Amino acid sequence: MAQKSTIYKVELSVSDMDRHYYETHKLTVAKHPSETDERLMVRLLAFALNAHEHLEMTKGISTDDEPDIWQKSLGGELEIWVALGLPSEKIVRQSCAKSQKVIIYAYGGRTAELWWDKIKNSTIRFHGLQVVNLGQEDTSTLADMASRAMKLQVNIQDGEVMVSVDDHIVYVTPILWKEAAN
């Protein structure tokens, strides 16, 4: 019998001083049976870093032709495609063809570094592609904070991110590996 997704109820408060965005999002997030707590928390962090009234979680890991998070215009055009992990060059190319801007949040420590070394030269032609690395220690600490009912506070200032759940705080420093051209 197939395992079912686990439902997480998240109240995500975002205070982004860099973009002047201050909002609380009430999210119901389905965690796929094969998804780790680390990936779930990276997904929530990516949502916070790109928070917007039209940003949405998708079916994510259970669907090959959708990102983990996307933002569509009122007309239905894909404006932002957010992917997590270490997608293949083919997936990166297909994603860039579907959306104006693609943001990849890579994580996994040395494995992520090896992936980027292998793929970075082929990404030069993708002007709308942004690649951000999240440190392994940071994402592991985030994973420890996961619970089925969370009140997450994310503060962003000068590119630095503070994530707090209850009395637990982690500081995350996203490292920009590739910046999207405007």
Side-chain angles (χ1 to χ4, degrees):
M1 188 168 142
Q3 287 183 315
K4 293 184 178 181
S5 294
T6 305
I7 302 301
Y8 284 69
K9 296 285 188 177
V10 181
E11 184 178 301
L12 175 63
S13 296
V14 179
S15 297
D16 188 338
M17 278 68 83
D18 295 347
R19 295 186 303 133
H20 304 290
Y21 182 88
Y22 310 93
E23 197 65 51
T24 297
H25 299 266
K26 293 197 184 287
L27 304 170
T28 300
V29 183
K31 179 183 166 200
H32 192 272
S34 67
E35 186 172 26
T36 63
D37 284 345
E38 181 179 32
R39 189 177 192 289
L40 172 77
M41 295 302 285
V42 167
R43 192 159 40 123
L44 290 168
L45 176 61
F47 189 96
L49 291 170
N50 296 284
H52 185 276
E53 65 179 317
H54 299 296
L55 196 68
E56 298 177 27
M57 297 274 187
T58 65
K59 294 176 186 166
I61 203 168
S62 64
T63 311
D64 290 337
D65 60 345
E66 286 185 2
D68 295 282
I69 302 167
W70 63 20
Q71 179 179 316
K72 291 185 176 183
S73 70
L74 294 175
E77 294 88 24
L78 212 47
E79 294 177 327
I80 299 176
W81 177 292
V82 178
L84 309 176
L86 313 173
S88 68
E89 182 182 341
K90 177 183 175 186
I91 298 287
V92 171
R93 184 178 64 250
Q94 290 171 343
S95 303
C96 289
K98 293 177 183 178
S99 182
Q100 296 171 20
K101 183 173 184 178
V102 174
I103 305 169
I104 298 171
Y105 289 95
Y107 65 98
R110 182 73 181 132
T111 306
E113 292 169 10
L114 293 171
W115 166 82
W116 181 239
D117 285 343
K118 180 181 174 189
I119 197 172
K120 69 180 167 188
N121 290 335
S122 65
T123 65
I124 294 168
R125 66 180 187 238
F126 304 124
H127 301 290
L129 176 64
Q130 180 172 313
V131 181
V132 178
N133 183 50
L134 302 171
Q136 188 166 19
E137 188 175 316
D138 296 341
T139 59
S140 294
T141 304
L142 282 173
D144 294 338
M145 298 165 74
S147 68
R148 297 211 27 213
M150 286 185 277
K151 285 189 176 187
L152 232 70
Q153 173 66 46
V154 178
N155 298 322
I156 304 163
Q157 184 172 13
D158 299 328
E160 296 289 320
V161 182
M162 182 191 80
V163 181
S164 63
V165 176
D166 300 324
D167 294 337
H168 305 289
I169 296 174
V170 63
Y171 293 92
V172 179
T173 304
I175 298 171
L176 189 61
W177 278 348
K178 181 183 185 317
E179 188 168 7
N182 292 331

